Amino acid sequence: MERNMAVRRLDLGYFIRPASETGGPQPRVEPVLAYLVHHDKGLILFDTGIGSADPETEAHYRPRRRALQHALSESGISLADISLVVNCHLHFDHCGGNPLLGGKPILVQDIELATARRGDYTFEELIDFPGATYEELGGETEVWPGVWIIPTPGHTQGHQSLVLRRRDGTVILAGQAHDFASHFASDQLARHAALHGEEPPLPPYQHWLERLADFDPRRVLFAHDCSVWEPPQTAYPGAAPR
């Protein structure tokens, strides 16, 4: 079912990924983005920002936090207005604001929550806090009309993305399913090459791209990249034909 859902991106700060994790000689500053979804049934918050960390993690990533309350207030929203929380996964830079939302349903894959609770994964106080209310999912589900949660494992085994079937085209909130829009685009091209019968060798791609393709996405947004993926166009308004 297609709905007229509004999506607003929230700037919740940044962290500095060290060169040892970038695959290159330089560190990289990465944004931390969350998304607010306005639906007929209420407000969905996809990810909640950077949580408190131990001194070692703080020194490693040098995070700069922007308060969730402040980011929401710019849209005229308060914490009390949120109906559902969806975390793409439970690393500290995605679930940091969860303790501010005690009593709100938090939708997460069951394998992700189990992994987080085993330790050496995130910070315990961001997972089990007063009022923590989890709705554990065992795969994909339509949580509200036109709103789907789709497992997109890779970055973590329990990673999930949010699919919004809007009247003007499907929007996917992909979290950290890919670090960058360009990486998503590369995997999409690899998939198309395979579907077109190109001979190996071809680059591998995540199997769940087939499921996302079923929704015919018009835009894909990410947790650590301000760029937005859109499908290639054969022509643009005003462009002269060749």
Side-chain angles (χ1 to χ4, degrees):
M1 181 182 297
E2 296 177 349
R3 298 275 172 147
N4 188 24
M5 289 174 272
V7 180
R8 183 181 178 93
R9 186 162 63 188
L10 305 178
D11 170 15
L12 296 182
Y14 63 82
F15 64 93
I16 303 173
R17 191 178 294 280
S20 60
E21 296 182 8
T22 66
Q26 299 295 333
R28 183 174 62 233
V29 183
E30 298 186 11
V32 174
L33 307 171
Y35 295 90
L36 184 65
V37 180
H38 294 254
H39 188 279
D40 293 343
K41 293 191 65 172
L43 296 174
I44 302 172
L45 181 60
F46 185 77
D47 281 353
T48 62
I50 310 170
S52 299
D54 57 29
E56 181 181 1
T57 302
E58 291 286 323
H60 187 77
Y61 288 114
R62 295 180 280 166
R64 177 76 63 171
R65 298 167 177 86
R66 188 164 184 263
L68 176 60
Q69 302 97 310
H70 181 67
L72 289 172
S73 70
E74 291 182 340
S75 299
I77 303 298
S78 71
L79 292 168
D81 297 324
I82 302 300
S83 305
L84 291 178
V85 177
V86 179
N87 293 121
C88 65
H89 66 292
L90 295 175
H91 283 165
F92 87 109
D93 55 322
H94 294 264
C95 68
N98 285 18
L100 300 172
L101 294 155
K104 307 288 186 181
I106 301 171
L107 279 59
V108 66
Q109 294 293 313
D110 52 9
I111 191 171
E112 182 71 14
L113 184 58
T115 301
R117 282 175 167 163
R118 281 199 292 269
D120 195 28
Y121 184 84
T122 189
F123 296 96
E124 181 180 350
E125 59 270 23
L126 302 178
I127 303 301
D128 291 309
F129 50 85
T133 306
Y134 289 102
E135 291 188 11
E136 299 182 48
L137 308 176
E140 71 174 63
T141 185
E142 186 176 20
V143 295
W144 283 352
V147 178
W148 289 79
I149 289 178
I150 304 296
T152 48
H155 178 67
T156 71
Q157 193 173 0
H159 192 283
Q160 61 186 10
S161 297
L162 195 66
V163 175
L164 309 173
R165 300 296 303 271
R166 299 183 359 156
R167 292 195 183 102
D168 60 350
T170 295
V171 173
I172 296 177
L173 307 181
Q176 205 170 345
H178 287 82
D179 285 340
F180 305 108
S182 59
H183 291 178
F184 183 88
S186 294
D187 275 7
Q188 283 285 90
L189 285 172
R191 173 179 168 272
H192 284 303
L195 291 175
H196 293 157
E198 297 291 345
E199 294 292 330
L202 291 172
Y205 60 89
Q206 294 285 4
H207 68 89
W208 41 257
L209 280 176
E210 303 291 352
R211 180 60 180 131
L212 295 187
D214 291 340
F215 293 98
D216 189 24
R218 299 291 90 192
R219 303 181 79 210
V220 182
L221 296 84
F222 303 90
H224 296 312
D225 188 358
C226 293
S227 299
V228 176
W229 178 88
E230 294 181 340
Q233 303 294 319
T234 56
Y236 294 90
R242 294 187 178 184

